[in-house]
Amino acid sequence: AQSVTQLGSHVSVSEGALVLLRCNYSSSVPPYLFWYVQYPNQGLQLLLKYTSAATLVKGINGFEAEFKKSETSFHLTKPSAHMSDAAEYFCAVSFTGANSKLTFGKGITLSVRP
Amino acid sequence: GAGVSQSPSNKVTEKGKDVELRCDPISGHTALYWYRQSLGQGLEFLIYFQGNSAPDKSGLPSDRFSAERTGGSVSTLTIQRTQQEDSAVYLCASSRGGSSGANVLTFGAGSRLTVL
């Protein structure tokens, strides 16, 4: 069965520093991979998705993620953190034939220090 | 509508009471999903609808949980005889449907359930 693992529950960075949030997946078939973000007291919104068109995917708010099959990873990065990036980030996996059901990781809370 | 609408946004109930949570998906979206978000547990899949049928109910935690969808639109998640462990945020999402795993789910703001 497909799954995603997000190591750690909390990441803290300084404003302007690199953001790196890790996600590893497990899937027996080619996966579709997603990052969603949940700002405080808001619903989840899509940051970016990988659907096999290109391994480096750019999303909203300057985030990007790279699909690495050899490492079964889909880590999320942003070169320079902004205070407004503080939120909870979820990695998710799906594949064709699974009625688009997303399987989510447990999420990582990102804090940004001034 | 423009987005996925859920009601109520907050519900406090006593243990043993039944609750109903409502989801109004984006117009034209044929697929509808319910998830549960508990502290430290991430998002747990509950049930999926394609139209009015539910081909995947695998995530419903017990027979106290049920859901229906009528007219291919609004869905209701019902929890009978609520327990304290049912306290969570219940999220609804919709998508254009079909079998492509690339479909993007659009989420509502959620219904926060507290069972005393």
Side-chain angles (χ1 to χ4, degrees):
Chain A
Q2 76 276 24
S3 65
V4 290
T5 301
Q6 295 182 252
L7 291 178
S9 61
H10 185 237
V11 169
S12 181
V13 301
S14 296
E15 191 173 21
L18 171 72
V19 175
L20 170 61
L21 304 179
R22 299 179 185 275
C23 174
N24 288 88
Y25 70 91
S26 172
S27 176
S28 57
V29 297
Y32 297 108
L33 293 159
F34 302 78
W35 276 97
Y36 278 80
V37 60
Q38 187 175 35
Y39 297 104
N41 300 315
Q42 294 186 29
L44 280 86
Q45 58 181 279
L46 181 70
L47 265 182
L48 49 80
K49 67 176 184 179
Y50 166 75
T51 58
S52 77
T55 57
L56 182 62
V57 181
K58 295 186 184 299
I60 61 172
N61 301 336
F63 284 92
E64 63 181 39
E66 186 171 9
F67 173 72
K68 293 187 176 180
K69 184 177 179 180
S70 61
E71 299 178 7
T72 62
S73 69
F74 190 59
H75 302 331
L76 183 71
T77 60
K78 181 174 180 178
S80 177
H82 192 273
M83 298 296 291
S84 61
D85 294 327
E88 190 161 16
Y89 292 80
F90 293 91
C91 183
V93 65
S94 180
F95 59 89
T96 296
N99 55 57
S100 309
K101 178 178 75 176
L102 286 180
T103 300
F104 285 86
K106 292 189 181 298
I108 298 176
T109 299
L110 174 67
S111 300
V112 182
R113 305 184 300 271
Chain B
V4 178
S5 179
Q6 293 188 246
S7 62
S9 56
N10 275 287
K11 176 71 175 180
V12 180
T13 191
E14 294 179 348
K15 178 182 173 181
K17 294 286 181 67
D18 297 352
V19 297
E20 284 190 351
L21 307 176
R22 175 189 168 103
C23 173
D24 199 346
I26 291 173
S27 179
H29 279 192
T30 59
L32 186 147
Y33 307 79
W34 284 98
Y35 285 83
R36 179 167 70 175
Q37 184 175 19
S38 306
L39 194 62
Q41 297 300 313
L43 281 87
E44 175 189 6
F45 169 79
L46 298 178
I47 188 170
Y48 154 73
F49 287 92
Q50 178 59 45
N52 291 335
S53 64
D56 190 347
K57 306 177 184 179
S58 62
L60 294 177
S62 75
D63 59 6
R64 295 187 296 104
F65 287 72
S66 64
E68 65 175 13
R69 189 179 185 194
T70 56
S73 181
V74 172
S75 175
T76 302
L77 176 68
T78 301
I79 309 173
Q80 295 178 309
R81 305 181 303 282
T82 53
Q83 304 294 313
Q84 288 182 332
E85 61 263 30
D86 299 335
S87 296
V89 177
Y90 290 82
L91 295 170
C92 177
S94 69
S95 76
R96 295 186 186 279
S99 61
S100 172
N103 289 337
V104 174
L105 274 62
T106 301
F107 284 83
S111 291
R112 180 177 297 278
L113 175 64
T114 303
V115 182
L116 301 177

